[in-house]
Amino acid sequence: MKRRKNLTMLISFCVGAVLFVSTAFADVVSKTGYDQLKDAIKKTVASIAEEYDSFTAEMGLSVKDNDKVLISNSAITKYDFANNKMEELSTTEVGGVLKDGFFRYSDSWSTIYHNYNRETYYLYEKEVEDKDVPAFENFFEDEEFEYIERIFDALIGNLKEYVIVAENSDGTKEFSGELSDAQIPALVNAVMAYAAKKTVFDSPSGQNEFDIPYLKNDVFVKEVRGRANVNGDGIVENLFGEIVISGSEENGTKHDLKVELVLKVYNINSTEIVKPDLTGKQVEKNIEHNKGFNYVQLEKYLGKWKNDIVIEENDRFVKVGERIIEITGFDDDYVYGTYNEIYKENYAHYYNESSSYSLKADISDENKDYLEATDASGKVIDGYMYLNMGRVEFYIPTDRYIEDGILFNSTFFKDFDE
């Protein structure tokens, strides 16, 4: 299933903020420090993607409101390319309470997944050995990144002079920098504030899910600081970034929201991954065939799945109909089915040409979950459909729900009355 949209945007914004911080680090005397840090970041990513046999990466992310932690996320990912193993552990806390988390392990013959909100461990045993080594992509090789780098270089301008670079006798280097809003050029501040406002702090849905204040007015970057350590081989071992966004809610309440991100890379060429022992655990076992999906599991999903269509009417929620997905079949690459909306007689006017589709979901390894939905006129809309853990997740972009005031629910459950 796709990760929660708001958390994804939050992480994306923070990574951008840290890149902004890191590109502001440079030697006072020359561009050497600036160029060296950029080279170190690029070398680190390239080495991870192409040279190392194994490594461990750790990320810690938090958002604070006047030093009160609103949300924090920690993730540890281990790669063992030599033995074709990968392990991922992620937890999210809201207000100090664990809200979400998962564990994932994979090797040539099996995959194990466990969500912390469920007792069941899902074990997928592969019928054919998967010889594809876990991939870590070097995003710096993307053509688009060259343009992004130029934009950063142009934006930071004379910010390169705000830096402390310490070179140690053992060849390691320490970079640090700190900027206040008075030192940040108006254009840079406006760009960063706009990105923060649109991705994180200007989203009512994000506010509801993560209790992040809905910043509406006078949003600006108040402080930026960061530091980085590069080892003797020119590899960035850790990177810390902090950005403080100031603004006020619609009612005038002011906030200083501090976003902190820590990245670490360690146990290079010495990371070991051990397959979890599931003895005594509640386990659901499935067989993955040569294309990576599960025929036995898919057979469970044949039939009808539904959820309620709900609107707000006279200050209350009212069921006006049902959404029905019928899974009719599958082959080596696709799952097939139909989508229909059925409305109660008093609400039949909600039905239109966007209420019925034929469905074709790609379940191949390369495009898993990708969906083509075709309406009666032959128009194709891209979306996704995900089948797992006793439910169907379905989404196609549409504006009609907003226009008609319909509350959208992407989760469908089995219709046992069919």
Side-chain angles (χ1 to χ4, degrees), residues 83 117 134 150 172 212 236 240 249 264 338 341 345 376 399:
N83 295 295
N117 294 323
R150 292 175 188 174
T172 62
I212 297 175
V236 178
F240 168 82
E249 298 182 71
K264 298 181 180 179
T338 59
E341 296 176 2
E345 184 177 353
D399 293 329

Side-chain angles (χ1 to χ4, degrees), residues 88-113:
E88 186 177 6
L89 175 67
S90 177
T91 59
T92 300
E93 293 185 357
V94 178
V97 178
L98 181 64
K99 289 296 184 180
D100 195 14
F102 70 89
F103 169 84
R104 180 184 290 110
Y105 164 89
S106 67
D107 59 30
S108 300
W109 290 100
S110 64
T111 298
I112 297 172
Y113 177 82

Side-chain angles (χ1 to χ4, degrees), residues 19 326 361:
L19 286 175
E326 183 171 6

Side-chain angles (χ1 to χ4, degrees), residues 60-187:
L61 168 69
S62 67
V63 178
K64 302 177 181 178
D65 181 10
N66 299 321
D67 291 326
K68 175 187 176 182
V69 179
L70 301 180
I71 178 173
S72 62
N73 175 265
S74 64
I76 299 176
T77 305
K78 298 180 180 180
Y79 284 89
D80 182 354
F81 301 115
N83 295 295
N84 199 12
K85 294 182 178 180
M86 176 184 172
E87 182 180 285
E88 186 177 6
L89 175 67
S90 177
T91 59
T92 300
E93 293 185 357
V94 178
V97 178
L98 181 64
K99 289 296 184 180
D100 195 14
F102 70 89
F103 169 84
R104 180 184 290 110
Y105 164 89
S106 67
D107 59 30
S108 300
W109 290 100
S110 64
T111 298
I112 297 172
Y113 177 82
H114 177 236
N115 187 297
Y116 290 175
N117 294 323
R118 296 174 177 268
E119 294 184 2
T120 304
Y121 285 75
Y122 295 89
L123 171 62
Y124 302 90
E125 295 183 334
K126 301 172 184 178
E127 185 181 58
V128 177
E129 181 180 8
D130 183 1
K131 297 182 180 180
D132 291 335
V133 176
F136 185 94
E137 296 184 4
N138 184 355
F139 51 83
F140 287 112
E141 293 183 344
D142 291 344
E143 294 182 3
E144 293 183 359
F145 185 81
E146 295 182 10
Y147 297 98
I148 296 175
E149 185 176 3
R150 292 175 188 174
I151 292 172
F152 273 117
D153 287 344
L155 276 177
I156 63 174
N158 61 4
L159 294 182
K160 300 174 185 179
E161 65 189 54
Y162 296 99
V163 68
I164 298 173
V165 180
E167 186 168 355
N168 303 316
S169 58
D170 60 358
T172 62
K173 293 182 179 181
E174 299 177 6
F175 298 80
S176 64
E178 183 174 347
L179 296 170
S180 67
D181 61 305
Q183 295 168 308
I184 303 173
L187 176 60

Side-chain angles (χ1 to χ4, degrees), residues 65 213-215 217 247-255:
D65 181 10
Y214 181 17
L215 296 189
N217 303 311
S248 61
E249 298 182 71
E250 194 167 10
N251 62 8
T253 303
K254 294 183 178 180
H255 297 272

